[in-house]
Amino acid sequence: MAINIAIDGPAGAGKSTIAKAVAKELEFIYVDTGAMYRAMALYLIRKGISPKEQEKMEEACKNAEISIVYEKGAQQVILDGENVTEYLRQEEVGNMASVSSVNPKIREKLVELQRVLASKENVVMDGRDIGTCVLPHADIKIYLTASARTRALRRCKELEEKGIACVLEEIEADINDRDYRDMHRDISPLKQAEDAVLLDSSNMNITEVKDEIIRLYKEAIA
């Protein structure tokens, strides 16, 4: 029987980094749901659709083909036959994903794909509503968070390492705005599942968070 680990939390909490590390150590499949939603957001942006045009989103998503493949152990996201992995971390794409992900038609298409995969394989899946909606029966649920300032500092460091200038206060304001939208959306709002373990990574490094989740996994299967 497949084992599922769900990791939820707000933007910039380190969910993807931690989920990848946990999946690698346990030799599970890492399913980056956020990347799938970002791929759909990129598709909508390329179609010239604005965040306010919900009906156009619903029509357009029917024709989008999104898949995840692994090449040399690394996840690659394929949109209509093109590897778009390198474009998915752009701020514009992230903001569109936050808006478009609440559209029922878009969610319906992607959630079905995620559930089918999780029913067949041992997976680590991260996102905003994995433990509450996508995989409500996951064996282990984690709610990973950190303060808005900590998340903004991490994001600025990422941008600066790429040679991109940033203003900390603007990044933090954007994170707070996205948190509010994610937590107050009508469909599957971001929240901690009742049976999820809360992990605040503000004062923890990647290894410490990963080791704690591995410990919880071993405790659960024991």
Side-chain angles (χ1 to χ4, degrees), residues 126-155:
D126 72 282
R128 303 286 196 279
D129 64 344
I130 308 305
T132 56
C133 177
V134 182
L135 300 178
H137 303 298
D139 302 273
I140 300 114
K141 298 179 184 178
I142 305 296
Y143 189 84
L144 181 64
T145 189
S147 68
R149 176 51 65 101
T150 296
R151 288 181 279 146
L153 286 168
R154 291 172 179 171
R155 182 58 178 157

Side-chain angles (χ1 to χ4, degrees), residues 66-78:
I66 300 170
S67 61
I68 292 178
V69 299
Y70 277 80
E71 295 178 0
K72 297 180 180 180
Q75 174 185 270
Q76 306 296 325
V77 182
I78 310 301

Side-chain angles (χ1 to χ4, degrees), residues 2 4 113-123 125 135:
N4 299 164
L113 178 63
Q114 295 155 9
R115 285 175 174 166
V116 169
L117 179 57
S119 70
K120 298 177 180 179
E121 305 285 352
N122 294 335
V123 304
M125 197 177 295
L135 300 178

Side-chain angles (χ1 to χ4, degrees), residues 5 21 24 35 45 48 72 101 110 131 136 152 200 207 217 219:
I5 298 177
K24 182 176 182 180
I45 290 171
K72 297 180 180 180
S101 63
L110 293 175
D200 188 325
T207 300
Y217 161 76
E219 183 180 273

Side-chain angles (χ1 to χ4, degrees), residues 1-218:
M1 185 176 179
I3 298 174
N4 299 164
I5 298 177
I7 301 177
D8 290 309
K15 300 185 300 296
S16 297
T17 300
I18 297 302
K20 290 174 185 176
V22 171
K24 182 176 182 180
E25 182 159 330
L26 295 178
E27 297 185 340
F28 280 22
I29 290 177
Y30 167 61
V31 182
D32 182 357
T33 60
M36 296 174 71
Y37 280 103
R38 283 173 177 266
M40 181 65 79
L42 177 63
Y43 176 83
L44 297 173
I45 290 171
R46 288 180 171 182
K47 291 295 182 182
I49 299 172
S50 79
K52 296 181 180 180
E53 297 178 305
Q54 294 292 323
E55 291 185 3
K56 288 186 177 180
M57 287 184 190
E58 292 180 0
E59 187 62 32
C61 78
K62 298 176 183 178
N63 301 315
E65 293 296 333
I66 300 170
S67 61
I68 292 178
V69 299
Y70 277 80
E71 295 178 0
K72 297 180 180 180
Q75 174 185 270
Q76 306 296 325
V77 182
I78 310 301
L79 171 62
D80 290 342
E82 175 191 355
N83 188 331
V84 296
T85 307
E86 65 178 301
Y87 305 113
L88 302 185
R89 305 308 300 182
Q90 296 174 350
E91 291 295 318
E92 181 185 18
V93 173
N95 289 328
M96 172 63 98
S98 180
V99 175
S100 62
S101 63
V102 305
N103 189 293
K105 296 297 182 182
I106 291 174
R107 292 185 55 76
E108 182 180 339
K109 181 168 185 175
L110 293 175
V111 169
E112 180 181 358
L113 178 63
Q114 295 155 9
R115 285 175 174 166
V116 169
L117 179 57
S119 70
K120 298 177 180 179
E121 305 285 352
N122 294 335
V123 304
V124 179
M125 197 177 295
D126 72 282
R128 303 286 196 279
D129 64 344
I130 308 305
T132 56
C133 177
V134 182
L135 300 178
H137 303 298
D139 302 273
I140 300 114
K141 298 179 184 178
I142 305 296
Y143 189 84
L144 181 64
T145 189
S147 68
R149 176 51 65 101
T150 296
R151 288 181 279 146
L153 286 168
R154 291 172 179 171
R155 182 58 178 157
C156 272
K157 183 179 178 181
E158 288 178 3
L159 293 172
E160 289 171 352
E161 289 176 349
K162 296 177 181 178
I164 302 173
C166 69
V167 178
L168 179 61
E169 288 72 20
E170 292 179 359
I171 298 293
E172 185 174 3
D174 182 58
I175 285 174
N176 282 321
D177 287 342
R178 290 178 63 183
D179 283 354
Y180 184 86
R181 290 199 303 269
D182 289 341
M183 292 177 178
H184 292 83
R185 64 192 189 189
D186 293 332
I187 301 174
S188 298
L190 169 65
K191 64 180 180 179
Q192 180 180 342
E194 292 184 1
D195 54 347
V197 175
L198 174 66
L199 278 183
D200 188 325
S201 68
S202 297
N203 298 308
M204 298 173 73
N205 61 37
I206 294 172
T207 300
E208 290 171 336
V209 177
K210 180 207 69 175
D211 288 347
E212 176 61 13
I213 294 176
I214 296 295
R215 185 191 69 77
L216 291 168
Y217 161 76
K218 291 180 178 179

